[in-house]
């Protein structure tokens, strides 16, 4: 595996949506080598070209075969079928890291890959993505929920730290509740802003989003501060500190 130093991984990304392209770019910025990205729709191909211009667009099996770390950034509804289908095709490799970004799933959904010898990680960034370089500037300080078997939990934490994020651990049995919390925050935030903006538009106020911006931000910040007491969870340092200091097998 060509690498800048020990511990660098060959990373393949399945899904060039708003999350996948950004996290792949962040991992590349941390020194990992991007082996390829799967992009099906025209929009996803355009995003891949903009965010990852030097990364080849490949078929999913080719990406899995070439990568030490496979990043699954696909819609939650597609994740289970994708993992199972690749297992049936015999593509997963022993020792390979498989990381998905779905909020409501832990590592259980990666069972077919695990039975083939892969190492499961469930890592969700608690952030709304635009799918542009703007997101790279927002990643530092963003909290990532990490779920993994105890022996490999430091690997997931280290990957988050390398992307600039702050890891916190969510137990496997709590992932559904975590996903519900994320969905609630996103849905209500969008609904309230849309409703308030609609009212202002109805009375002829121009640029209602700009008018509401300071009010909404300060209100949300005040509400969040009420639930931000106590010590912060701590992450782990680097990939080398997590114990990955050689190729895991199957990568280039």
């Amino acid at each position: 595996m060509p690498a800048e130093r020990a511990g660098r991984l060959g990373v393949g990304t399945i899904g060039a949506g708003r999350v996948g392209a950004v996290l792949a770019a962040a991992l590349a910025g941390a020194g990992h080598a991007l082996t390829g990205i799967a992009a099906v729709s025209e929009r996803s191909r355009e995003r891949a070209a903009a965010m990852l211009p030097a990364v080849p667009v490949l078929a999913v099996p080719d990406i899995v075969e070439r990568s030490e770390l496979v990043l699954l950034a696909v819609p939650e509804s597609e994740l289970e079928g994708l993992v199972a289908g690749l297992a049936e095709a015999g593509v997963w490799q022993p020792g390979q890291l498989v990381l998905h970004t779905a909020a409501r799933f832990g590592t259980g959904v990666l069972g077919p890959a695990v039975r083939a010898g892969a190492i499961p990680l469930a890592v969700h960034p608690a952030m709304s993505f635009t799918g542009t370089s703007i997101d790279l500037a927002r990643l530092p300080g963003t909290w990532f929920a990490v779920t993994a078997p105890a022996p490999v939990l430091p690997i997931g934490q280290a990957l988050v730290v390398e992307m600039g994020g702050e890891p916190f651990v969510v137990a496997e049995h709590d992932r559904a509740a975590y996903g519900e919390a994320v969905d609630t925050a996103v849905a209500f935030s969008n609904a309230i802003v849309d409703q308030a903006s609609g009212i202002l538009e109805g009375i002829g106020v121009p640029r209602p989003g700009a008018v509401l911006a300071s009010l909404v931000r300060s209100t949300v910040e005040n509400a969040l501060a009420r639930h931000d007491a106590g010590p912060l969870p701590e992450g782990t340092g680097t990939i080398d500190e997590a114990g990955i200091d050689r190729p895991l097998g199957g990568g280039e």
Side-chain angles (χ1 to χ4, degrees):
M1 176 183 68
E4 293 289 332
R5 63 178 178 83
R8 298 304 82 191
L9 301 171
V11 180
T13 304
I14 299 175
R18 295 176 181 178
V19 177
V22 172
L23 295 189
L27 289 169
H32 297 287
L34 302 186
T35 60
I37 188 166
V40 178
S41 69
E42 182 178 351
R43 178 174 294 183
S44 65
R45 287 178 178 271
E46 291 174 353
R47 184 178 292 113
M51 292 291 295
L52 308 165
V55 179
V57 175
L58 301 173
V60 170
D62 292 337
I63 289 174
V64 177
E65 290 173 0
R66 296 182 181 203
S67 305
E68 282 92 19
L69 167 62
V70 180
L71 172 62
L72 302 177
V74 299
E76 289 184 349
S77 60
E78 299 176 11
L79 180 60
E80 186 174 10
L82 173 63
V83 175
L86 290 172
E88 291 175 3
V91 178
W92 297 118
Q93 301 168 66
Q96 184 175 54
L97 293 167
V98 182
L99 183 157
H100 79 73
T101 61
R104 70 184 181 95
F105 291 122
T107 57
V109 72
L110 300 175
V114 174
R115 288 189 287 274
I119 300 170
L121 302 169
V123 178
H124 176 263
M127 186 181 104
S128 291
F129 285 73
T130 66
T132 69
S133 58
I134 293 173
D135 296 331
L136 291 174
R138 293 175 174 171
L139 282 180
T142 292
W143 290 92
F144 286 64
V146 180
T147 303
V152 297
L153 185 61
I155 298 175
Q157 293 171 310
L159 288 168
V160 170
V161 171
E162 290 199 334
M163 290 186 282
E166 300 284 349
F168 68 101
V169 177
V170 176
E172 180 78 19
H173 62 268
D174 289 330
R175 283 294 290 222
Y178 169 75
E180 181 181 359
V182 169
D183 289 344
T184 299
V186 172
F188 275 83
S189 297
N190 283 321
I192 289 171
V193 170
D194 288 347
Q195 182 178 358
S197 297
I199 294 171
L200 292 181
E201 288 172 350
I203 62 174
V205 175
R207 298 181 61 203
V211 172
L212 292 170
S214 294
L215 172 65
V216 172
R217 289 190 184 112
S218 59
T219 301
V220 170
E221 288 170 0
N222 290 341
L224 292 172
R226 294 197 298 270
H227 301 275
D228 193 22
L232 296 175
E234 295 182 358
T236 307
T238 65
I239 291 296
D240 286 339
E241 291 169 352
I244 304 180
D245 57 3
R246 65 185 187 280
L248 296 173
E252 296 186 334

